[in-house]
Amino acid sequence: MITKSYEILKSSEKLSKCNIFLLYGENEGLKNDIVKSIKITVSKKKKFDIQSIYEDEVLKSDENFYNSIFSGSLFSNNKIITIKNCSDKFVKYLENIADGIPENIILILLSDLLDKKSKLRNFFEKDKKIICVPCYLDNERDLNIIALSELKKNNILISQESLNLIVEKSNNDRNNLRNEIEKIISFSASKKKIDTRDVRAIINFSGEYKSDIFINE
């Protein structure tokens, strides 16, 4: 079942009713936010062990993978398992576990962009019991909402012009955006109202934000 990213972030009911998710696309920041939201939602009721593996590890030893799902540990039977770099090769495992996965196991698959012919994507889109979330790049409106929310939490006032500079510098990536906001939050410790000149200096804005991203990295 396909679900919009904003719906999954707002609906704890959807998160609590499903235990297999596919997050695909180029927006790593959005995928991180959704994974965090899933973990927070399911952990409200009971404690979960967190595991993170790559698809290659599953391909090398599918026995270990099946054991991690169907065999509980001595200390906890509840697990959130994140599997990175998933591809169409993972479909055969889903076919074996999708209908019989224990309720105390949460499986989160992370993948890059998947085209419409992808077997993995089609598997999720056709099954109403599991959730598929496309994670495409953020638009300007998305980034404005995130920036305003973060600044408001920290009681920081900036102009719309300054906000536009921060959004532009982020290069459509919410991780970059949060990095720039962190710089402003640090600066605001001694100055709550920050003008545009301050913002330009803080985020090292030159107008060539696509290359400036390497400086931040």
Side-chain angles (χ1 to χ4, degrees):
M1 175 176 62
I2 304 175
T3 302
K4 301 288 186 182
S5 57
Y6 67 85
E7 291 176 348
I8 200 74
L9 287 170
K10 289 183 179 179
S11 176
S12 58
E13 182 180 355
K14 277 192 174 183
L15 292 175
S16 60
K17 287 185 176 181
C18 178
N19 59 345
I20 304 181
F21 302 85
L22 169 65
L23 314 179
Y24 74 90
E26 66 268 66
N27 194 330
E28 297 300 325
L30 178 55
K31 283 189 270 189
N32 290 339
D33 286 351
I34 295 173
V35 170
K36 183 179 179 181
S37 182
I38 293 172
K39 290 178 179 179
I40 290 173
T41 299
V42 300
S43 297
K44 285 181 179 178
K45 295 182 179 180
K46 47 192 172 184
K47 186 178 180 180
F48 279 80
D49 287 339
I50 308 295
Q51 297 181 8
S52 181
I53 58 177
Y54 287 86
E55 182 188 70
D56 285 347
E57 297 175 58
V58 178
L59 297 177
K60 289 176 182 177
S61 179
D62 54 8
E63 183 178 353
N64 288 339
F65 173 65
Y66 289 129
N67 285 338
S68 67
I69 290 178
F70 296 109
S71 301
S73 70
L74 294 174
F75 305 101
S76 173
N77 293 323
N78 307 314
K79 299 176 186 176
I80 299 174
I81 304 173
T82 302
I83 304 177
K84 301 177 181 179
N85 296 348
C86 285
S87 67
D88 288 350
K89 295 177 182 179
F90 203 81
V91 172
K92 66 178 182 180
Y93 301 104
L94 290 171
E95 291 172 342
N96 292 332
I97 66 174
D99 291 329
I101 188 170
E103 292 182 359
N104 60 329
I105 301 295
I106 307 295
L107 196 61
I108 306 172
L109 310 185
L110 302 177
S111 180
D112 294 328
L113 274 174
L114 299 173
D115 61 35
K116 292 182 179 180
K117 295 180 181 179
S118 165
K119 293 179 182 179
L120 182 61
R121 176 175 166 179
N122 286 328
F123 187 92
F124 273 83
E125 290 179 352
K126 292 176 181 178
D127 194 327
K128 294 184 179 180
K129 301 187 297 297
I130 56 182
I131 289 178
C132 171
V133 186
C135 297
Y136 302 122
L137 289 176
D138 294 303
N139 58 38
E140 190 173 314
R141 180 176 177 275
D142 297 329
L143 295 172
N144 265 279
I145 292 172
I146 293 170
L148 285 172
S149 175
E150 294 296 326
L151 292 169
K152 186 176 181 181
K153 285 180 191 176
N154 292 275
N155 298 316
I156 298 172
L157 300 174
I158 63 171
S159 67
Q160 185 60 49
E161 181 184 359
S162 296
L163 185 64
N164 292 342
L165 288 175
I166 299 169
V167 170
E168 186 177 355
K169 181 69 185 293
S170 72
N171 198 23
N172 294 330
D173 186 310
R174 63 178 62 196
N175 281 340
N176 295 338
L177 180 73
R178 289 190 172 114
N179 287 339
E180 302 304 336
I181 291 174
E182 282 299 318
K183 296 176 188 176
I184 292 172
I185 292 172
S186 297
F187 180 84
S188 70
S190 58
K191 189 176 182 182
K192 286 297 177 185
K193 190 168 183 179
I194 303 171
D195 59 33
T196 303
R197 184 172 56 183
D198 292 327
V199 170
R200 283 182 177 275
I202 294 166
I203 67 174
N204 190 33
F205 187 85
S206 65
E208 297 180 359
Y209 50 89
K210 290 185 179 180
S211 60
D212 282 352
I213 185 174
F214 294 108
I215 297 174
N216 291 330
E217 291 298 327

